[in-house]
Amino acid sequence: MASSRTRTVRGDARTAGHAAPEDAYTAAPFVPEGADLTALREAAAGCRGCPLHRDATRTVFGEGEPDARIVLVGEQPGDQEDRKGHPFVGPAGRILDEALEAAGIDPAEAYVTNAVKHFKFALVAERGKRRIHKPPTLRELSACKPWLDAELRVLDPEVIVALGATAGKSLLGPSFRVTRERGRLLALDEVPLVATVHPSAVLRARDEDRAKMYDGLVSDLRTAARVLG
């Protein structure tokens, strides 16, 4: 199935004109007030709010229609997303698209983004030049949170889906546990929120567990679909 993740979000371009000290660990000075999605994306391209920008290829901002009814929030861009500049275009994105369709949600009508906009990785000598994903710290999550908050303010979705523990912690706080909260109808500032596993967890699952893990993802997404009616 072809991915819908390479669309350009419509809107009027503006400039941010902000600066912040290196390693200040806050993206807030870079986030232009009152900006639409296009202006936010352009401003995020120059974000230096935490050290992750140094090694990543580029900022990977969210994508989708500005009137999307559902927003899906993952952890961070992966290797392919970092190289291509679009969220959820790798194997996990294909799993997500399939699960959305199985849950009755059109992937083309969803907005997808990440809690952290730069790829965090390590180079392991015995694995050649392959970049190995590293989870962001709570400090890095907090630094990038102003971008996610700005996206959600502009989008004003009918339902939010947190994909995995990191996204859940970014949205709901460090005490969030995906094993405890997944599949339940929660709320973020009165907006319905559903938490589930990240689609990469399906890929990492053992062969004998993969179908069950995928079915659980679809079941949780159906909870979000019921909110949409």
Side-chain angles (χ1 to χ4, degrees):
M1 178 181 62
S3 174
S4 59
R5 306 305 181 205
T6 58
R7 295 166 299 178
T8 300
V9 178
R10 298 185 298 269
D12 296 326
R14 306 173 195 173
T15 57
H18 294 285
E22 189 77 8
D23 297 354
Y25 273 89
T26 174
F30 298 93
V31 181
E33 294 185 8
D36 62 10
L37 291 173
T38 297
L40 288 172
R41 178 178 294 102
E42 292 175 352
C47 184
R48 301 294 183 266
C50 81
L52 293 185
H53 72 87
R54 294 173 177 170
D55 297 323
T57 305
R58 57 176 59 83
T59 302
V60 181
F61 206 70
E63 291 187 358
E65 294 299 327
D67 58 353
R69 299 172 64 199
I70 181 171
V71 174
L72 299 113
V73 182
E75 178 188 274
Q76 65 170 322
D79 181 79
Q80 291 192 36
E81 287 80 5
D82 175 71
R83 297 180 190 279
K84 297 177 181 178
H86 303 286
F88 287 96
V89 293
R94 290 191 289 273
I95 292 290
L96 178 59
D97 280 351
E98 293 170 6
L100 284 168
E101 289 191 338
I105 300 170
D106 184 351
E109 296 180 359
Y111 183 95
V112 290
T113 190
N114 284 296
V116 171
K117 312 303 188 191
H118 286 112
F119 179 35
K120 183 178 180 180
F121 62 91
L123 292 173
V124 182
E126 57 267 26
R127 303 188 71 170
K129 296 183 178 180
R130 184 176 178 186
R131 303 185 299 176
I132 307 302
H133 159 274
K134 290 183 65 177
T137 64
L138 288 176
R139 193 178 183 192
E140 289 157 352
L141 278 177
S142 296
C144 213
K145 186 65 160 39
W147 291 118
L148 181 57
D149 289 342
E151 284 178 292
L152 293 175
R153 281 195 298 271
V154 172
L155 291 160
D156 191 22
E158 295 178 32
V159 63
I160 300 167
V161 177
L163 298 168
T166 299
K169 288 178 181 179
S170 176
L171 291 163
L172 299 173
S175 64
F176 172 85
R177 296 292 181 272
V178 68
T179 52
R180 181 179 63 212
E181 306 290 356
R182 66 171 299 181
R184 297 174 53 197
L185 194 57
L186 309 172
L188 176 67
D189 297 331
E190 301 184 356
V191 179
L193 184 148
V194 178
T196 186
V197 297
H198 195 281
S200 63
V202 177
L203 296 171
R204 294 193 304 268
R206 296 178 299 179
D207 291 344
E208 59 270 27
D209 298 330
R210 192 165 296 138
K212 182 178 180 180
M213 181 76 73
Y214 175 80
D215 289 344
L217 171 61
V218 172
S219 177
D220 295 339
L221 291 173
R222 284 189 178 127
T223 301
R226 285 194 290 271
V227 175
L228 298 175

